[in-house]
Every structure is written in C-alpha cells, then in structure tokens.
Amino acid sequence: MTIDKISKYRSEIMGMAILLIIVCHSTLAFSGGILKAYDYMRSFCKIGVDIFFMMSGLGLYNSFNRDNNILRFYKKRLTRLLPAYIFVVVIWAVISVGLSIESLTDFFWKYSLVSFWLDGELAEWFIAAIVLLYLIFPVLYWLLKTHSLVLYGLWAIVYGVTFYISMTQVDQSAIRLINEAFVVRIPAFLTGILIGEQISVYVTRKINTATVIWYGIGSIVLLCVNVFANSVCERWVERVLFLPCAFCIIMLVSILLNGAEKRMGKYVLSLLGFFGGITLEIYMIHEKVLMIYDRFTINGTVGSLLSNITAVTMTIILSVWMAQIIKRFEKALENKR
C-alpha cells in the first residue's frame, strides 16, 4: 500500500471517528466489574475527536492544495457548515425549549458560538472551533509552504502549553474548558496538515507488512497505557498519549481498509464512507438525541447498560435520518443559487 491511501480513505476514517464519538458521548458510567471495562472503552472512544481533527486538517490541506483561492475556500466551507447548523439549531430550539431542557435565554447564549470563547460553554464547541480553524487555515498553509519550521515550532508550542494548562489548572474555568475541548486538539489538526504535505511529496512511498504490525502493536500498547493512565494518573497523561495513538489508529485503519477493498470488507468501506459523508450533521444531532434519552435513564445498573446500548443505536438511526433531511435541505439551497 502507498501512503496516499490515508487520503483516499479519509471519508471512511471520519465515518469510523463519528461512530467512536457517539459511543463516547453516551452518558452512562459504571463503577465495577465488566461494566467498568465498558466505561473504559467508552472513555477511550473520545479519541474519535482527535482523529476527526486530524482528518479535517488533511481534508483542508487537500482542498486548498487543489484550489488556493481564499474566497472560494471560505465560501465552500461556510456554505457546507452554516445551512446545516442553522437547520439543526432551529429544530432544537423548538424541542429543547418545548421540553424545558433549556430556557430560551440559555438557548440563545449556548448556541451563539461566542459563549464557548467567553464562558467555555461546550454545547457547540466543535462548531465554534472549526469556524476558527477555517478562518486561520490559509495562514497555516502559507506557513507550511514558506516557513515550514515555524509551523513545526507552533505544533510543539501548542502541544506543550496545553499540557501545562491541564497540569496547573484544577478548577473549571473557561480557559481550562477551552483547553481541554479544543486547544489540546490543535496539534492533531496541525498533524493532519503535515500528513497532507507528506502525502503530496511522498505519494509513492510504500507501507509494508512490518509497518502494519508495528502500527497494530503501537495502537494496542498506547490503548493499554491509556487505561492505566486514566485509572491512576492525572488527566494530562491521557492527553499526551492521544495524539500518537490517533496517528497509529489512522495508519492502521487505512492499511486495513486497503486490504478490505478486495474482499467482503468492501461493504464495510461503503458503510463507513456513508457515515463519513454526513459526519457534520451527525455530530450536531447525536448529542441532542442523547440529551433527551438521558432524561429517562437510570445510571449504574445492568439494565441501564442495555438502555445505553439502545440509546447509542437509536442515536445513530435518528442522526442518520435527520442528516439525510439536512442534506436535502442543503441541495435545495444549492439549486436555488
């Protein structure tokens, strides 16, 4: 397999990432036995966000590398993001205010996106973060092409600063919340950009069987160390591990998907590709579905584990259904333009 396959299977990898994120955001936690193992798995699944940011960086690099017109770049990104966001927020306003999940005042503040930067409000932190990354991406691309060492230096600085904040701040201040949700993922985003550059330069570089084995071993080792760190160490240790682990998983999955293309795994490819095509919509919808479901669950029992699995399944089904509706809405807007 050649290294460019990482880019080829970007949509499938993002489809895998969004499924991990849904599992991670399932709200029940357990304190002992086999259910504790489930809780470890659920906690580790938040690495899907890191994978998502890494693949987003790669996707933006590929897009801008094909057409570096800044105005067209911004227009494409915003027309992809804003219609879907507005559609979801309007529907959610009716549901959340109607069910008294949120007051109207809280609703407007939470979903203004400004609230994340001022108060660390996490309701739609990903949208607020990705808008910022869209805005600064042309600068990052320019740095990569003209002063690449500066970009590598920025990667190292952000990587260090985020862990310093994680280690020194124990309160739930806005700075800590912004750091834990977004800033710690900036190195993953920058890594995605750097992967894109490496692919464009070394498109014919081969990845052999030994590489598959090493990435597989690396993923397992990092997973085991992460479970240990999550149990007995500080939270920042986990964050140190997530970036290399996300990279190992991306490499391993791209290798496995390349092999699956020639076998029955092509159906897995199609399924992951389908999810990868509607990740933004699923991301915006799934937590809201879980928020409603969580109002009717009881934590800490075997029955609630089954309830949790049911919640995840129903979330996927409803999110996909709503995502398809939003896609039709977006296409209708495009046709009018």
Side-chain angles (χ1 to χ4, degrees):
M1 189 191 89
T2 52
I3 194 171
D4 63 302
K5 294 297 189 296
I6 301 168
S7 184
K8 177 182 178 181
Y9 298 118
R10 174 180 165 273
S11 183
E12 287 79 7
I13 293 170
M14 291 188 77
M16 176 197 71
I18 198 65
L19 293 175
L20 291 176
I21 290 168
I22 290 175
V23 174
C24 165
H25 286 164
S26 60
T27 51
L28 304 183
F30 305 97
S31 59
I34 191 171
L35 298 183
K36 188 64 176 176
Y38 168 83
D39 196 41
Y40 279 135
M41 181 203 73
R42 185 182 66 88
S43 177
F44 183 73
C45 282
K46 62 178 169 282
I47 200 170
V49 182
D50 299 75
I51 293 172
F52 207 86
F53 269 89
M54 204 174 290
M55 291 294 95
S56 295
L58 172 60
L60 292 183
Y61 175 90
N62 289 341
S63 177
F64 204 75
N65 208 39
R66 288 191 298 268
D67 179 6
N68 60 8
N69 182 286
I70 294 178
L71 291 179
R72 281 198 294 268
F73 172 80
Y74 285 147
K75 181 181 178 182
K76 184 178 180 180
R77 302 278 81 77
L78 293 178
T79 53
R80 170 75 179 94
L81 178 66
L82 289 182
Y85 183 69
I86 292 169
F87 184 91
V88 171
V89 167
V90 169
I91 297 297
W92 181 240
V94 176
I95 296 172
S96 65
V97 176
L99 292 178
S100 300
I101 295 174
E102 298 161 316
S103 70
L104 191 60
T105 304
D106 288 342
F107 176 87
F108 280 114
W109 177 242
K110 279 184 178 182
Y111 299 100
S112 66
L113 301 184
V114 177
S115 58
F116 173 62
W117 304 113
L118 297 181
D119 286 351
E121 171 57 56
L122 300 177
E124 291 292 351
W125 74 267
F126 175 78
I127 304 299
I130 207 69
V131 167
L132 176 62
L133 293 176
Y134 286 167
L135 290 173
I136 67 173
F137 179 80
V139 176
L140 299 176
Y141 183 88
W142 174 78
L143 283 175
L144 178 63
K145 294 298 184 180
T146 59
H147 304 84
S148 59
L149 288 179
V150 175
L151 190 63
Y152 280 100
L154 178 64
W155 181 95
I157 290 169
V158 176
Y159 201 52
V161 168
T162 57
F163 299 133
Y164 175 78
I165 295 173
S166 298
M167 285 186 289
T168 56
Q169 276 197 295
V170 295
D171 61 336
Q172 289 297 301
S173 66
I175 292 176
R176 181 179 177 85
L177 292 171
I178 292 168
N179 177 69
E180 289 192 349
F182 170 54
V183 183
V184 292
R185 268 91 184 210
I186 293 177
F189 180 77
L190 296 177
T191 300
I193 298 173
L194 297 173
I195 289 173
E197 177 73 358
Q198 290 298 305
I199 290 173
S200 69
V201 174
Y202 301 109
V203 68
T204 59
R205 177 181 286 175
K206 295 285 186 179
I207 299 176
N208 56 30
T209 305
T211 305
V212 177
I213 294 172
W214 280 114
Y215 280 119
I217 293 173
S219 299
I220 293 170
V221 169
L222 286 171
L223 171 59
C224 294
V225 173
N226 175 74
V227 170
F228 174 77
N230 201 38
S231 303
V232 300
C233 302
E234 296 294 334
R235 179 78 180 276
W236 65 269
V237 178
E238 176 187 87
R239 295 306 319 166
V240 172
L241 296 170
F242 262 30
L243 180 60
C245 195
F247 178 75
C248 283
I249 290 172
I250 287 170
M251 294 294 291
L252 178 62
V253 169
S254 63
I255 292 167
L256 294 176
L257 290 177
N258 185 61
E261 206 170 50
K262 303 171 184 177
R263 302 180 180 87
M264 290 295 290
K266 62 184 179 181
Y267 299 110
V268 175
L269 279 169
S270 298
L271 183 62
L272 291 178
F274 169 75
F275 282 109
I278 52 176
T279 51
L280 175 64
E281 292 80 5
I282 292 177
Y283 195 97
M284 289 189 292
I285 294 166
H286 80 280
E287 275 195 293
K288 296 168 181 59
V289 176
L290 283 169
M291 196 182 300
I292 296 172
Y293 196 94
D294 188 45
R295 292 168 67 88
F296 307 101
T297 57
I298 303 171
N299 289 347
T301 67
V302 175
S304 64
L305 172 61
L306 297 177
S307 178
N308 214 36
I309 293 170
T310 304
V312 171
T313 304
M314 290 302 299
T315 299
I316 292 172
I317 294 171
L318 290 172
S319 297
V320 169
W321 176 61
M322 286 296 297
Q324 296 290 68
I325 294 174
I326 294 171
K327 279 292 185 184
R328 294 192 188 100
F329 173 69
E330 291 171 348
K331 287 180 180 178
L333 287 179
E334 287 178 8
N335 292 334
K336 286 184 178 181
R337 288 195 294 268

